[in-house]
Amino acid sequence: MAPTDSLEHAIPLFSLSPFFAKCLVGTLAFVCFANSYNGRFVFDDSEAIINNKDLRGETPVADLWLHDFWGTKLSSNASHKSYRPLTVLTFRMNYHIAGGLHPVGFHFVNIVLHCLVSVLMLNVFSMLFGGMTCSHKGKQITYAPKASLLAALLFAVHPVHTECVAGIVGRADLLCALCVVLSFLGYCRALPGNNTTHSSVFWVMFSILLAAVAMLCKEQGITVLGLNAVFDVFVICKLNILECVQKVLRRDKTSENNKFDRKGLFVRISLLVSGGICMLYIRWRIMGTGPPAFTEVDNPASFADSLLVRVINYNYYYSLNGWLLLCPWWLCFDWSMGCIPLINSLSDWRVIALVALWFCLLGLMYQALFSNNAQKRRMLTLGLGFLIIPFLPASNLFFRVGFVVAERVLYLPSVGYCVLFTYGYSKICRLIKNKKLLSAAILGIMVMNVVRCIYRSNQWKSEELLFRSAISVCPLNAKVHYNVGKNLADRGYQTEAIEFYRESVRLNPKYVHAMNNLGNILKEKDQLQEAQQLLSRAVSIQPDFAAAWMNLGIVQNSLKYFEEAEKSYLTAIKYRKKYPDCYYNLGRLYADLNRHVDALNAWRNATFLKPEHSLAWNNMIILMDNTGNLAKAEAIGREALKLLPNDHSITFSLANVLGKAQKYKESESLFLKAIEANPSSASYHNNLAVLYHRWGNLDLAKKHYEISMKLDPSAPGTKENYGLLKRKFEQLQKKARG
């Protein structure tokens, strides 16, 4: 019996035709994540999609090739250097087709991509489990339908994939995986079968091209070149490390080079190496200013002074990734910020985890290289290769990464896990005769994974559910508490948000963003002294934190510390030159100090940097109006309305100016337009009534005074004006009687 046949015979699974097998895998992949289709934009989606101008039509498509994944110029020091223009292009297409930021279309594409990748995995696993042979007509044939189906099902329903599928930003991993799969299958077309030594350079080049496309979706894509090489060397050319070692020990000078040369291995490997070097060089040139600068909270182990501490913690992170593949029950959207405390000594009990990891890995590696069983060597080599090689970019070995553990980076390595799991399951099946028990066990695992996927993808539907789900998994993660607090604050639950922000600062006393947000809420609750202390501490920890400087200035302004407030605003502008909101607040400070020219200049700067800054425009109109410069107020108002024709506050302010300038007809038209946009504003109705009062349209004035008093009964000015109008009506009635 052939090794592949023995593998197939051992697995107690029904056989399906390729078509029905693909239907089953695709259906289960869809069922697992279908309920995420109506989810919202969550977590990183805000920066990658909602705030990313590269999705908008006004940004030229060519700019996508000059920006990183988040829409920042690659030449900027603030860039994360994550160069994924093809992924951003698909986001842009979603935006264009949907006519805006509608998440349903984005989620639908992710679900379809996962289903497609899962179905193609059947072909990949056929290659890995069945190897390759050729029919008498030269057509490639692959075997192992049972093993391939089991592995593909495991891949399709693995809960660790939830972040990639339910989180829209995970599309980078999905697109990358799709291109990696196609590259691998394309490379297999170039390989010689048992009855031919022909090797197609075209298919190798096509595979390299797809690897480049994968890399433009996500950096991890380049690792497919290593996967292709491993498959070529160990499966096609059947390199046997054990035989090579034995030959060296026996001093056997018989060379394997001729055999490899006949099979075209050196040509293919040379092309792969050359392609990889070219891609890395181009990627290095594109990065421009060098690698991104991450902070200690993103990846604390990489900032440890001791090499031993770094090595121990990196290996502990590897063991956690392995555990997530084995038992994907504790899933979290973010594993940074103290979620995994550093191991600072060998006496820490967690060292057991990395010892167990390397005990397993070294045991598997030894069997993969030196086993007498050819099938075992092949399966373990491929399983370890597909597990380890795609994970290398996230391993901290070549460069520092901006995370501790990230479930999304396990999408491709899970292929290797599925190979090892399936092979291990087949070995157990040979040892245990109770096939029903084994079938029930694997069915139970599948059902649990499907249920876990459905439950977890539901948590990814909203930030409230996602962030709260992380508290039980990572209670020490300051970022988790920060995100829960931010979500509560955005929904108006400020009191509850304060508790989570305080806990976030307690867990990480240097978490300046939590201090900034907490300071803002305390400012709004008029707890100004504590807000000032928090914001002062934030800027002392991070002196270039422009937003905290601006918020500190707002608090100081409220406390009447005008000189300190001005310094804080100017410091914020020093660190962020283009900061329209800070110029706006600086203008408010100058207006309070009656420095009208400075206020006007500050607001002008705000509108120059952000032409749609409604508040700055409005304040300029009001300032000119209050200082009696009606002509300039009118000019500014008309300029603002050209840019913001539907802004009712600017429309209202300009209507006031025109009314004072006795341009009643135009003023009336603008008041009515403002009221149409905001009919519940008492002041809009009151000022229109004042206009009619001046104009002599007393009935209309009476009507709008009454509407204004109904909307705001406590407004004293309206009552006073309405009283004057009533006296005028009485005088007119007396004249009419006389």
Side-chain angles (χ1 to χ4, degrees):
M1 183 180 290
T4 301
D5 294 335
S6 64
L7 178 68
E8 284 292 289
H9 181 73
I11 296 176
L13 191 69
F14 47 83
S15 293
L16 289 177
S17 67
F19 174 77
F20 285 111
K22 289 177 181 178
C23 288
L24 177 61
V25 171
T27 301
L28 276 179
F30 180 79
V31 167
C32 284
F33 303 105
N35 67 331
S36 67
Y37 86 96
N38 60 346
R40 303 170 194 164
F41 294 115
V42 297
F43 194 40
D44 286 340
D45 296 344
S46 298
E47 291 302 316
I49 297 170
I50 297 175
N51 300 328
N52 192 344
K53 293 182 179 179
D54 286 348
L55 271 65
R56 278 48 165 191
E58 57 266 23
T59 302
V61 176
D63 284 3
L64 269 63
W65 303 93
L66 304 174
H67 295 170
D68 67 13
F69 186 54
W70 314 96
T72 306
K73 288 184 177 179
L74 284 164
S75 57
S76 169
N77 290 330
S79 172
H80 277 206
K81 310 300 181 185
S82 45
Y83 187 62
R84 303 163 192 174
L86 294 184
T87 303
V88 178
L89 184 61
T90 66
F91 291 154
R92 187 180 175 113
M93 291 169 64
N94 265 129
Y95 181 90
H96 176 74
I97 292 169
L101 292 170
H102 305 291
V104 172
F106 289 85
H107 283 293
F108 178 75
V109 171
N110 274 28
I111 295 168
V112 170
L113 282 171
H114 176 64
C115 293
L116 184 57
V117 172
S118 298
V119 168
L120 287 172
M121 281 299 169
L122 270 169
N123 300 79
V124 173
F125 289 128
S126 272
M127 293 288 184
L128 300 182
F129 286 112
M132 293 175 59
T133 187
C134 290
S135 67
H136 64 281
K137 295 181 180 180
K139 184 178 179 181
Q140 288 181 352
I141 302 173
T142 55
Y143 294 102
K146 287 184 181 180
S148 303
L149 177 59
L150 176 58
L153 288 172
L154 286 168
F155 178 87
V157 304
H158 204 297
V160 84
H161 297 160
T162 310
E163 181 177 352
C164 292
V165 185
I168 299 171
V169 168
R171 186 177 302 177
D173 299 89
L174 297 172
L175 287 170
C176 175
L178 177 62
C179 294
V180 164
V181 167
L182 294 174
S183 174
F184 176 75
L185 294 175
Y187 189 80
C188 290
R189 296 289 297 272
L191 300 173
N194 290 342
N195 301 319
T196 177
T197 57
H198 176 67
S199 176
S200 171
V201 173
F202 167 79
W203 283 110
V204 176
M205 296 304 296
F206 183 68
S207 174
I208 293 171
L209 176 63
L210 284 172
V213 173
M215 197 176 177
L216 292 174
C217 296
K218 190 174 182 180
E219 298 77 1
Q220 201 176 15
I222 194 173
T223 59
V224 71
L225 300 179
L227 299 177
N228 292 343
V230 168
F231 186 77
D232 198 343
V233 171
F234 290 97
V235 176
I236 303 306
C237 295
K238 296 181 174 61
L239 176 65
N240 187 336
I241 300 295
L242 179 61
E243 285 185 3
C244 293
V245 171
Q246 289 173 343
K247 284 185 178 181
V248 170
L249 294 175
R250 293 196 307 262
R251 298 182 180 180
D252 187 345
K253 297 183 179 180
T254 305
S255 176
E256 296 276 324
N257 289 349
N258 292 335
K259 181 179 76 172
F260 292 157
D261 191 41
R262 286 197 303 272
K263 292 193 174 187
L265 174 67
F266 297 127
V267 173
R268 294 192 298 274
I269 296 298
S270 297
L271 289 172
L272 289 176
V273 171
S274 301
I277 291 172
C278 289
M279 281 188 272
L280 288 173
Y281 175 74
I282 294 170
R283 180 72 175 81
W284 176 74
R285 292 298 300 267
I286 287 171
M287 283 179 69
T289 57
F294 295 112
T295 61
E296 185 175 352
V297 293
D298 296 320
N299 186 356
S302 65
F303 286 85
D305 295 328
S306 168
L307 176 62
L308 177 63
V309 171
R310 291 201 299 272
V311 170
I312 290 173
N313 282 277
Y314 288 160
N315 281 276
Y316 182 61
Y317 297 161
Y318 305 156
S319 68
L320 287 176
N321 280 282
W323 182 248
L324 286 175
L325 289 172
L326 285 169
C327 184
W329 205 253
W330 294 276
L331 300 175
C332 184
F333 72 93
D334 188 278
W335 293 82
S336 63
M337 289 266 183
C339 184
I340 305 171
L342 279 181
I343 298 174
N344 290 306
S345 72
L346 292 173
S347 61
D348 193 310
W349 68 269
R350 291 174 294 167
V351 171
I352 297 170
L354 57 104
V355 171
L357 170 73
W358 280 105
F359 177 80
C360 294
L361 283 179
L362 291 174
L364 290 171
M365 289 176 183
Y366 179 81
Q367 292 294 318
L369 296 175
F370 301 112
S371 173
N372 290 317
N373 186 317
Q375 184 195 52
K376 180 187 285 188
R377 286 199 309 272
R378 187 181 85 241
M379 298 315 308
L380 293 181
T381 301
L382 292 175
L384 289 170
F386 275 76
L387 178 71
I388 295 170
I389 293 173
F391 184 75
L392 289 176
S395 65
N396 285 291
L397 291 177
F398 304 109
F399 45 81
R400 177 183 291 155
V401 298
F403 52 84
V404 175
V405 173
E407 293 157 22
R408 60 187 176 274
V409 303
L410 295 176
Y411 194 79
L412 273 174
S414 66
V415 176
Y417 160 78
C418 293
V419 171
L420 293 173
F421 183 98
T422 303
Y423 181 69
Y425 180 70
S426 71
K427 297 288 285 184
I428 293 172
C429 290
R430 289 196 191 97
L431 298 174
I432 299 177
K433 295 181 179 180
N434 191 338
K435 303 300 181 185
K436 289 184 179 180
L437 177 64
L438 294 170
S439 299
I442 201 68
L443 181 62
I445 291 172
M446 292 290 182
V447 171
M448 283 194 299
N449 280 0
V450 170
V451 171
R452 180 64 175 137
C453 284
I454 294 171
Y455 181 75
R456 182 61 179 161
S457 60
N458 185 67
Q459 291 178 329
W460 271 87
K461 290 172 74 170
S462 73
E463 288 191 333
E464 180 185 6
L465 292 171
L466 179 65
F467 296 158
R468 286 191 178 275
S469 71
I471 293 177
S472 60
V473 180
C474 285
L476 300 179
N477 189 334
K479 195 172 183 179
V480 167
H481 293 274
Y482 167 84
N483 279 294
V484 174
K486 186 175 184 300
N487 179 258
L488 287 167
D490 290 343
R491 293 188 292 122
Y493 301 108
Q494 293 191 336
T495 303
E496 294 86 345
I498 287 173
E499 296 178 15
F500 284 97
Y501 280 139
R502 289 194 191 281
E503 179 64 9
S504 180
V505 174
R506 186 190 71 80
L507 291 169
N508 184 356
K510 294 184 179 181
Y511 198 176
V512 292
H513 293 283
M515 293 177 198
N516 180 54
N517 287 13
L518 178 57
N520 274 340
I521 294 180
L522 294 174
K523 173 193 68 180
E524 292 172 13
K525 288 185 168 291
D526 209 32
Q527 299 178 33
L528 299 177
Q529 292 295 342
E530 187 180 358
Q532 184 184 25
Q533 291 171 7
L534 279 165
L535 293 166
S536 297
R537 192 166 57 157
V539 297
S540 67
I541 294 169
Q542 186 178 329
D544 62 347
F545 191 3
W549 278 113
M550 182 190 74
N551 291 323
L552 178 60
I554 295 171
V555 171
Q556 290 167 334
N557 193 3
S558 300
L559 289 168
K560 310 298 183 186
Y561 303 156
F562 298 124
E563 188 175 339
E564 291 87 344
E566 182 181 11
K567 289 179 181 177
S568 294
Y569 288 139
L570 293 175
T571 305
I573 292 167
K574 170 188 172 184
Y575 289 117
R576 191 190 298 180
K577 306 296 182 186
K578 298 179 180 180
Y579 203 173
D581 288 340
C582 193
Y583 277 111
Y584 165 73
N585 285 299
L586 180 61
R588 289 184 60 191
L589 169 67
Y590 289 146
D592 291 343
L593 296 173
N594 292 320
R595 292 166 58 178
H596 296 151
V597 175
D598 290 334
L600 187 65
N601 288 335
W603 288 329
R604 269 292 178 193
N605 283 330
T607 57
F608 175 76
L609 293 170
K610 186 180 178 182
E612 67 275 16
H613 204 303
S614 170
L615 292 173
W617 283 113
N618 208 35
N619 279 15
M620 283 194 286
I621 298 168
I622 294 169
L623 177 64
M624 293 297 98
D625 183 5
N626 291 342
T627 54
N629 197 338
L630 295 180
K632 193 164 186 178
E634 180 181 342
I636 292 171
R638 293 187 187 281
E639 183 184 355
L641 271 188
K642 286 181 181 177
L643 293 167
L644 301 166
N646 298 317
D647 190 296
H648 59 82
S649 62
I650 292 174
T651 304
F652 171 71
S653 296
L654 180 57
N656 282 327
V657 172
L658 294 173
K660 291 179 182 178
Q662 298 184 353
K663 297 180 180 180
Y664 297 132
K665 192 67 182 174
E666 190 178 0
S667 177
E668 177 195 29
S669 174
L670 290 175
F671 273 129
L672 291 173
K673 183 180 177 182
I675 288 170
E676 182 183 2
N678 188 17
S680 60
S681 172
S683 62
Y684 286 13
H685 288 280
N686 175 65
N687 285 27
L688 177 58
V690 171
L691 176 74
Y692 284 136
H693 199 159
R694 288 177 183 166
W695 200 358
N697 293 338
L698 302 184
D699 291 329
L700 288 173
K702 180 175 180 292
K703 172 187 172 184
H704 285 280
Y705 276 139
E706 290 173 349
I707 294 173
S708 178
M709 287 189 294
K710 186 177 180 181
L711 291 169
D712 184 9
S714 62
T718 307
K719 288 183 179 179
E720 185 180 339
N721 289 334
Y722 187 61
L724 292 172
L725 180 66
K726 285 179 71 176
R727 284 196 290 274
K728 189 152 191 174
F729 268 118
E730 290 170 1
Q731 291 172 1
L732 290 172
Q733 287 173 356
K734 286 179 182 178
K735 285 182 181 179
R737 289 195 206 100

